[in-house]
Amino acid sequence: MLVTMVIDDVEVPEVPDAADPATQLLEQTADGGDTAFASLYDMLAARAFGLILRVLVDRAQSEEVLQDVFLEVWQTAAKFDSARGGARAWILTIAHRRAVDRVRASHSSTQRDLRIGVRDFRGETTSVEEHAQLRIDGGRATEALRTLPDAQREALVLAYFGGFTQREITAITGAPLGTVKTRMRDGLTRLRKALEG
């Protein structure tokens, strides 16, 4: 008679211990059998991966967890007790536990990042006075920008508001690179004087 166990809504057939090749391979692995471990991996990795993937959904994380599972199997094979259950159930239980742990860790990390983000966002709020001063300074800068010659204003607007590099501005305006640099330097000098005065 074939007994089944359920892990995360997945029925896993459980072969009687005496006939279960996974149990035999796990016991050989506990004795240091590399070949037995490789055979055990080949036998159960796909099933363990499927279980992990159902919990995590993310393929890359599932692959990492699968590696952790079989590393744990290799390191703790000597602790396996066939009297308490079969090797398949033991390995799939480890896989399920590791996947759930990863979900919890990921959730905790996300929550921590959100708390820090909210805290930092709240810390950066400006007072009404600061906000008003920024608007006044912005208005003064806009007025000063309007007083610049067209070529200097164009170069500065493209650089600071458009995000273009000086080389891109040369392509847009058709002016040589040296001319664009001079226009920007002279325009910034005029702006500084207008804002200081």
Side-chain angles (χ1 to χ4, degrees):
M1 179 177 150
L2 193 62
V3 179
T4 61
M5 61 178 271
V6 178
I7 298 178
D8 194 35
D9 299 328
V10 177
E11 286 192 12
V12 180
E14 189 62 30
V15 179
D17 291 343
D20 186 5
T23 299
Q24 295 169 357
L25 289 171
L26 186 58
E27 289 170 349
Q28 291 170 8
T29 298
D31 293 335
D34 294 351
T35 307
F37 179 72
S39 297
L40 183 65
Y41 180 87
D42 290 342
M43 180 185 294
L44 295 176
R47 183 171 287 175
F49 181 74
L51 175 63
I52 294 165
L53 187 59
R54 283 192 58 175
V55 174
L56 293 177
V57 180
D58 182 88
R59 188 169 191 82
Q61 283 193 39
S62 298
E63 290 170 354
E64 289 176 17
V65 170
L66 182 68
Q67 289 178 359
D68 292 343
V69 166
F70 277 93
L71 178 63
E72 183 175 342
V73 168
W74 173 256
Q75 293 173 338
T76 62
K79 294 180 181 179
F80 170 70
D81 181 7
S82 61
R84 297 181 65 193
R88 291 172 195 270
W90 186 70
I91 291 170
L92 293 176
T93 300
I94 292 171
H96 185 260
R97 189 179 69 235
R98 286 278 187 158
V100 170
D101 288 348
R102 177 64 68 97
V103 168
R104 288 179 181 148
S106 179
H107 180 71
S108 294
S109 175
T110 301
Q111 292 301 313
R112 184 176 54 250
D113 290 347
L114 284 173
R115 281 193 306 274
I116 290 170
V118 166
R119 184 195 67 208
D120 291 349
F121 178 74
R122 287 182 183 154
E124 294 178 4
T125 57
T126 57
S127 68
V128 173
E129 291 174 25
E130 291 171 328
H131 185 67
Q133 188 60 46
L134 287 171
R135 289 186 63 92
I136 291 168
D137 291 345
R140 287 181 57 213
T142 302
E143 287 301 317
L145 194 59
R146 287 187 182 132
T147 65
L148 296 179
D150 291 341
Q152 291 176 2
R153 182 174 56 248
E154 178 184 38
L156 290 176
V157 167
L158 287 171
Y160 292 99
F161 298 107
F164 294 102
T165 65
Q166 291 176 341
R167 291 194 186 280
E168 291 170 333
I169 294 170
T170 62
I172 293 169
T173 62
L177 181 60
T179 303
V180 168
K181 288 181 180 183
T182 301
R183 287 176 182 171
M184 290 179 69
R185 185 192 66 229
D186 293 347
L188 286 172
T189 302
R190 284 183 173 207
L191 275 178
R192 190 176 306 113
K193 287 180 182 174
L195 291 173
E196 290 172 354

